[in-house]
Amino acid sequence: MAAGAGRAGHRGRQDLRGPAVRRQPRGHLPQVDLGQGRRHPPPATFAELTADLDKVKAANPDPAFAAFNFPGQYWYGALQFVWDAGGQLATQDGRKWTGALEKPAAQQGLKAWQQFQNTYSGAASRNVDTKAPDQAAMFAQGATSAILDTSVNTILKDNPSIKDDIGTFPFPSATAGRTQPVFLGGSDLGVAAKSRNQDLALAYLKAAADPAVQRSAIAGIDGWTPVSTQVIDQVTPSLPPLSAAFFAAAKSSGSTPATPGWATVESDKSINTFFADIATGRKSVADAARDFDAHLDQALNAAR
């Protein structure tokens, strides 16, 4: 079954259904050991990752430098900690959605993320997103040794000279032998219910989702992650080393609630504020989760 297939109408387009065409996972982008001039082997466990970051942090005490830049509003990345602990944003019972961030597993993940963010990312990052300042530019300029991102393309555009000095790997899980589930977004295709050419639209959709097209075009030409885990396994051996980690990360993934009401949560940026409240300490983890769960209860069920 296609790992990324599902409902394509959850952003308010209730008259649209279809599979994801390409997926966009996030991988961890580490630089080489700063000042050492050699590539550092990627950590296989979360403990190895934090041990490496502790060394980087100790060797670079400048407060303007971040061992791991992790913006407080970067909810795509923060959700990985929630999922890794076994938590969820919300649960569904029939047609009713209920915020689930007050549950013990989600609380555990949120606390783990807060500790990681506060320990390895600079204080100035706690109330910002990935674009202000631009984290890819920070990485390219040497202001951080690691970030969580979807590709290396922007980084290498900013600074092509570091191509041989960076590496990628999936973010390790707190559970040995696993990687954190990544947020899986991407592009959707669907057939409009009122289309006068549904047969043609369906034929195009089937062609785009065909495994051969996924291998040759989606992965082979564009470098995007295919929708199928089977195709991921087929193309991974031929990938450049910098790309392979993103494909590997995509095999363990999560997504947002498949309901039109999710559009409200993204558009009002309440989820950005939720994670920033935790990163900055404006609210305790428990209070932030309680308030955001109440908002999820309302927003996710508004279109029922």
Side-chain angles (χ1 to χ4, degrees):
M1 179 177 177
R7 180 176 176 183
H10 67 280
R11 295 183 186 274
R13 303 188 303 272
Q14 293 179 287
D15 59 342
L16 193 65
R17 297 293 185 273
V21 177
R22 53 98 175 166
R23 301 157 12 134
Q24 192 166 338
R26 284 160 171 74
H28 178 217
L29 306 173
Q31 291 189 354
V32 294
D33 285 344
L34 297 175
Q36 299 298 316
R38 66 178 184 273
R39 186 178 298 278
H40 189 79
T45 67
F46 186 76
E48 289 181 9
L49 172 60
T50 55
D52 287 344
L53 292 174
D54 286 338
K55 294 175 184 176
V56 172
K57 185 177 178 180
N60 299 270
D62 185 345
F65 177 86
F68 193 117
N69 187 67
F70 207 133
Q73 294 186 28
Y74 191 18
W75 62 271
Y76 299 105
L79 275 178
Q80 295 187 189
F81 285 78
V82 174
W83 291 328
D84 191 48
Q88 295 292 330
L89 268 170
T91 57
Q92 184 180 21
D93 183 7
R95 297 180 61 197
K96 182 180 179 181
W97 287 90
T98 304
L101 292 164
E102 295 170 89
K103 294 185 179 296
Q107 288 284 293
Q108 178 184 336
L110 290 169
K111 290 174 182 176
W113 173 75
Q114 181 189 46
Q115 181 178 11
F116 185 88
Q117 199 281 338
N118 284 187
T119 301
Y120 299 113
S121 195
S125 72
R126 295 175 187 175
N127 196 35
V128 301
D129 61 20
T130 58
K131 296 300 182 183
D134 187 281
Q135 69 168 5
M138 289 179 62
F139 186 93
Q141 296 161 7
T144 180
S145 69
I147 62 173
L148 190 71
D149 212 337
T150 58
S151 78
V152 299
N153 296 341
T154 302
I155 294 167
L156 295 180
K157 183 178 179 180
D158 288 343
N159 188 356
S161 68
I162 65 172
K163 182 177 181 180
D164 295 329
D165 294 330
I166 62 176
T168 62
F169 57 87
F171 199 108
S173 168
T175 302
R178 292 170 45 187
T179 59
Q180 283 191 349
V182 299
F183 176 85
L184 204 57
S187 298
D188 301 326
L189 288 182
V191 181
K194 296 183 180 180
S195 170
R196 290 177 294 178
N197 298 288
Q198 289 191 7
D199 290 344
L200 289 175
L202 180 61
Y204 179 82
L205 191 151
K206 288 181 177 180
D210 184 89
V213 174
Q214 290 283 313
R215 286 192 299 270
S216 63
I218 301 300
I221 297 175
D222 296 326
W224 294 109
T225 312
V227 298
S228 157
T229 56
Q230 292 91 340
V231 177
I232 290 175
D233 289 337
Q234 292 168 7
V235 302
T236 297
S238 62
L239 294 172
L242 286 179
S243 300
F246 298 98
F247 282 58
K251 295 182 70 174
S252 176
S253 59
S255 60
T256 55
T259 174
W262 179 255
T264 298
V265 180
E266 284 199 36
S267 63
D268 67 13
K269 296 192 179 298
S270 56
I271 191 167
N272 303 59
T273 302
F274 165 64
F275 282 108
D277 282 343
I278 293 173
T280 59
R282 289 190 299 249
K283 293 182 180 180
S284 68
V285 171
D287 287 348
R290 182 196 63 230
D291 293 346
F292 192 55
D293 272 352
H295 181 55
L296 289 173
D297 291 348
Q298 182 179 27
L300 298 184
N301 295 295
R304 284 197 301 152

